[in-house]
Amino acid sequence: MAKSARAKKAKKADFAKVKIKVGKKLKKAQNETKTDFKARKIIVAEQLARKTNETVLTKKMHNIKDLLSRLQHNNTYVRQDGINGLLELVKNKDCDLLVPHLSVMVGGAAPCMFDSDALIRSTTNKFIEALITKVGVHLEPYMNVIATHLSCAMVHLNMHVQGDSLKVMNLLVTRCPALMARHASTLLTNFLNLISRKAKNPLVETAEKKNSVGLVDFRRVLLDSPSNTMTATKWRIRLLQELSAFMEAVLAEQNCIEYHIPLTTWQSVTLGSLAPVATYDGVQGSIGGQVSLFSDTQQLATFVHSVVPLLFQVWAEVEPSSNEHSQGSNIINEEATETLTCIVSIITQLWKAAHRLAEQTSTECNWFLGELKSKFQFHIMRWFPCYRRIDVSDKKKKRGDDYGLQYCDNLNLSMAALALQFSFSRSLYDRASSFLAKLLRDRNRDGEYQLASLVEVVLAVLIPSPTTRNSDYLPPSTPASLLDGSFTCYARLHPLKKDRSQLLRILLAATNIDNKHIWECEQVESWIKLLVTELAEKVVTEGVVEAAIILGLRGNSRFRLHLTPRKEHIQENLRKRGVPGWSIDKVNLKLKFVINDEKINKFDE
């Protein structure tokens, strides 16, 4: 059917061209931009506040209130910007401007220790370090907040937060050990929870768990590493290192307070608190009632019974096989060396704490020896002295022999010092004496060990304790061998070496009237002769002069025999060279005691 004319016309109208007529305005297009709008300013009252020079602001003009509000934001980047701003303020602003805001800054930043973002936790650690450096002792009132949040981080459900909490612990123990000592009981308990958990069965009594010293206590079971990038062994070594450092700091601070306060006062103070004490190395403070772990025998015994089995569990995982030891080899790998070093250090700290409590409370340490003695002798001392296997191709390796073995001298000295306090067997004395004599004679190992620790072990072997003073545990050759090695080491070291005078403690012990079994050793007379020669011909330290005074006051006949013909040379040498660190008047005063002559002419000023 054909379309009508009307339909055809309507169809053409849709696409018809509009004819423009003269004198008529064009219609506006639908997409025309209108420009007849009006604009008004919106003024925020806070923008009118005048920001003076005293206001603590960041480069982005954010104050502390703005930064703390950002720390509460859900967005990670906003929280990161907030903690970075606080770190910027602490680094760039003066202490006087920061102290009034410490309360809000510490309270706002402390929860970031267990933030879900690793970068924020790392920045928080830097913030705390910078804050300790900048404000020092002013941070003491707020340390309780930091320690509380640290305790929460150590037992956090997020395993990565637990791992990063050790970094904060290391920082606080290094910079402010006294303030951390107030929270010793809580933090040490958290250490146990980091490395282990309570077992379902308190004691496992299976054939595989038995050994020659009895049952292995599995009341607590070791945990795995919280990080995929760190093995379980490395994680436990790191934990044990932090635990050892923390215990050492707590005990050192307790010793410092006991040194300055009488014993009766100290016993009353352990239940209360002390006035704050400031030192040069960082923030220090008092040890309050929370450090009672090292002041109460029952609490210390509970902690020892919990931690000692864990130490031997850790060692059992890295200890070399029995077949290797049966072949007479005391070679252990690097992980075993680090683990053994931590274990010996922790046991040493526990023994010091138990021994101090025994002296204060007039009790015995039998409970400690019963827990540890047999296990330590069987599991630890059978590797004494131990050597560490190193890669011969490693250019950065430490001093060792041609077979790729490194001497673990400091570790062996710690093992010997601890074992001599637990046992007095003749075999132990023989092994310790042989090791010490070789170490003292080997010039290639000078500087690889602490000389003060070596002297302590030598004295423990030379001078038996009262319980063994009348026994025959020391063979006749032992005193002569050790004295000869000590004399050789003393003669070999430079006269001005810092710790050289420590060896003179061995000479003074050998000339003590109570030690008759080592009086007649010929090395004693050779040592005395060398001492007099140094006074007459060389530059001497104050330790040499003090040792000579003690020998003179004791009326040692051999010292007087060598001293008498060289009095003038000694006086002339000290006048010419002096003593490092002493004034002329002090040298002159000490010289009177050395040569026992009141008519000495005073040195010219």
Side-chain angles (χ1 to χ4, degrees):
M1 180 177 179
K3 295 183 179 181
S4 63
R6 189 174 183 179
K8 292 180 180 180
K9 186 177 180 180
K11 183 177 180 181
K12 291 180 180 180
D14 293 337
F15 303 98
K17 182 179 179 181
V18 179
K19 294 182 180 181
I20 303 175
K21 296 182 179 181
V22 179
K24 290 186 177 182
K25 295 183 179 180
L26 293 175
K27 294 182 179 180
K28 296 181 179 180
Q30 294 180 356
N31 59 350
E32 179 187 11
T33 302
K34 295 181 180 181
T35 59
D36 57 348
F37 58 85
K38 296 181 180 180
R40 293 184 179 181
K41 295 181 181 180
I42 299 176
I43 301 175
V44 181
E46 293 182 359
Q47 294 179 349
L48 299 178
R50 184 178 180 182
K51 296 178 180 178
T52 61
N53 296 330
E54 290 78 19
T55 305
V56 183
L57 299 174
T58 64
K59 293 180 179 179
K60 297 181 180 180
M61 304 303 292
H62 293 155
N63 56 25
I64 295 179
K65 184 178 180 181
D66 297 335
L67 297 174
L68 293 178
S69 64
R70 289 172 176 266
L71 294 179
Q72 307 296 329
H73 203 277
N74 294 329
N75 190 287
T76 302
Y77 298 102
V78 177
R79 297 199 305 273
Q80 179 66 41
D81 185 62
I83 193 65
N84 285 334
L86 291 177
L87 179 60
E88 177 189 338
L89 291 179
V90 173
K91 287 184 176 180
N92 299 332
K93 301 301 179 180
D94 295 333
C95 177
D96 296 337
L97 294 177
L98 297 176
V99 169
H101 306 283
L102 281 180
S103 177
V104 292
M105 290 175 66
V106 173
C112 293
M113 281 191 285
F114 37 82
D115 193 276
S116 58
D117 186 73
L119 189 58
I120 294 179
R121 297 195 299 268
S122 176
T123 309
T124 304
N125 192 8
K126 297 177 182 178
F127 166 76
I128 296 175
E129 182 178 8
L131 197 62
I132 294 175
T133 303
K134 182 60 68 72
V135 302
V137 295
H138 298 287
L139 191 63
E140 180 183 353
Y142 314 104
M143 186 56 66
N144 185 42
V145 178
I146 298 177
T148 302
H149 285 81
L150 175 60
S151 298
C152 296
M154 295 178 70
V155 295
H156 201 273
L157 295 178
N158 189 334
M159 304 297 288
H160 300 287
V161 174
Q162 294 183 10
D164 288 344
S165 67
L166 294 181
K167 299 178 182 179
V168 183
M169 169 65 71
N170 186 17
L171 168 65
L172 297 177
V173 169
T174 304
R175 303 300 299 275
C176 45
L179 297 180
M180 294 303 297
R182 299 177 178 180
H183 308 272
S185 299
T186 303
L187 294 177
L188 287 175
T189 303
N190 290 339
F191 267 113
L192 292 180
N193 296 329
L194 272 177
I195 197 174
S196 65
R197 61 173 175 81
K198 291 184 178 181
K200 296 180 180 179
N201 298 325
L203 192 64
V204 180
E205 300 181 357
T206 60
E208 293 89 12
K209 307 295 182 181
K210 293 185 179 181
N211 53 42
S212 60
V213 294
L215 295 175
V216 178
D217 192 348
F218 279 87
R219 287 173 295 182
R220 300 188 70 92
V221 181
L222 295 175
L223 295 175
D224 292 331
S225 172
S227 174
N228 295 330
T229 60
M230 184 182 298
T231 63
T233 302
K234 289 291 186 181
W235 165 251
R236 289 161 190 162
I237 291 174
R238 182 181 172 190
L239 274 174
L240 294 180
Q241 288 174 345
E242 297 298 337
L243 175 59
S244 175
F246 180 63
M247 293 178 59
E248 185 176 359
V250 172
L251 290 174
E253 191 62 28
Q254 188 170 350
N255 288 338
C256 180
I257 294 179
E258 289 180 356
Y259 178 78
H260 292 91
I261 301 178
L263 182 60
T264 54
T265 308
W266 164 248
Q267 289 174 340
S268 61
V269 163
T270 53
L271 301 178
S273 60
L274 289 177
V277 180
T279 64
Y280 298 102
D281 297 331
V283 184
Q284 301 290 328
S286 62
I287 298 182
Q290 296 191 35
V291 77
S292 59
L293 176 64
F294 294 119
S295 304
D296 181 79
T297 304
Q298 185 176 359
Q299 292 191 29
L300 180 61
T302 302
F303 180 74
V304 169
H305 294 327
S306 299
V307 74
V308 167
L310 293 176
L311 297 179
F312 287 104
Q313 286 185 46
V314 175
W315 173 242
E317 293 188 351
V318 299
E319 184 180 12
S321 62
S322 301
N323 294 333
E324 296 181 13
H325 186 266
S326 61
Q327 298 174 1
S329 174
N330 286 354
I331 303 174
I332 57 179
N333 57 29
E334 183 177 358
E335 286 188 347
T337 304
E338 294 179 353
T339 303
L340 189 58
T341 302
C342 296
I343 291 174
V344 173
S345 176
I346 292 173
I347 293 176
T348 302
Q349 303 303 328
L350 292 174
W351 169 253
K352 290 180 180 179
H355 189 65
R356 181 186 297 107
L357 280 178
E359 292 179 349
Q360 294 178 0
T361 59
S362 301
T363 57
E364 298 293 337
C365 295
N366 295 333
W367 61 269
F368 187 87
L369 296 177
E371 175 70 26
L372 192 64
K373 181 177 178 180
S374 58
K375 297 178 181 179
F376 187 83
Q377 295 294 335
F378 180 81
H379 293 285
I380 305 297
M381 286 308 295
R382 67 171 179 165
W383 295 98
F384 174 83
C386 61
Y387 304 89
R388 188 174 78 172
R389 181 184 289 108
I390 57 177
D391 186 5
V392 181
S393 61
D394 187 4
K395 297 181 180 180
K396 296 182 180 180
K397 69 175 184 177
K398 294 183 179 180
R399 222 177 269 177
D401 57 14
D402 297 333
Y403 299 98
L405 300 181
Q406 179 184 341
Y407 301 108
C408 305
D409 293 331
N410 282 322
L411 174 58
N412 289 323
L413 288 174
S414 300
M415 292 168 61
L418 197 57
L420 290 172
Q421 300 181 64
F422 294 161
S423 174
F424 305 101
S425 64
R426 179 168 180 171
S427 62
L428 177 60
Y429 274 108
D430 290 341
R431 293 163 60 193
S433 300
S434 176
F435 166 74
L436 294 172
K438 292 179 181 179
L439 179 59
L440 287 165
R441 293 190 181 96
D442 192 350
R443 65 170 60 248
N444 295 326
R445 294 156 74 176
D446 289 346
E448 294 295 318
Y449 55 87
Q450 296 181 1
L451 199 56
S453 301
L454 173 64
V455 171
E456 292 290 344
V457 180
V458 172
L459 292 176
V461 175
L462 283 177
I463 307 173
S465 63
T467 58
T468 59
R469 189 174 295 276
N470 298 325
S471 63
D472 59 346
Y473 288 130
L474 290 175
S477 60
T478 298
S481 176
L482 284 179
L483 286 175
D484 180 69
S486 302
F487 170 68
T488 303
C489 182
Y490 179 84
R492 182 176 66 245
L493 297 177
H494 191 276
L496 296 181
K497 184 175 175 59
K498 183 178 179 180
D499 296 334
R500 182 176 182 252
S501 58
Q502 290 283 343
L503 291 167
L504 291 174
R505 296 172 55 193
I506 301 176
L507 175 62
L508 295 177
T511 56
N512 194 333
I513 192 173
D514 295 329
N515 305 322
K516 298 180 180 180
H517 62 290
I518 52 179
W519 271 9
E520 302 301 328
C521 295
E522 59 181 9
Q523 291 80 6
V524 175
E525 185 169 357
S526 301
W527 204 337
I528 291 176
K529 183 178 179 180
L530 176 62
L531 185 66
V532 175
T533 302
E534 289 182 345
L535 288 170
E537 299 177 1
K538 299 181 180 181
V539 180
V540 294
T541 60
E542 56 181 288
V544 175
V545 179
E546 295 291 350
I549 293 175
I550 295 176
L551 290 174
L553 294 177
R554 289 178 177 176
N556 188 281
S557 58
R558 284 175 286 188
F559 176 72
R560 290 297 177 190
L561 178 64
H562 294 287
L563 178 70
T564 302
R566 310 204 65 175
K567 286 185 177 181
E568 296 181 359
H569 296 86
I570 293 174
Q571 180 178 350
E572 182 180 353
N573 181 56
L574 292 182
R575 170 187 289 183
K576 179 181 178 181
R577 303 177 185 271
V579 178
W582 282 5
S583 63
I584 277 295
D585 294 335
K586 187 172 183 179
V587 171
N588 184 54
L589 178 63
K590 296 291 184 179
L591 187 58
K592 293 181 180 180
F593 293 98
V594 172
I595 63 178
N596 196 19
D597 190 354
E598 297 292 340
K599 298 181 180 181
I600 297 179
N601 296 324
K602 291 185 177 181
F603 295 164
D604 296 332
E605 296 184 359

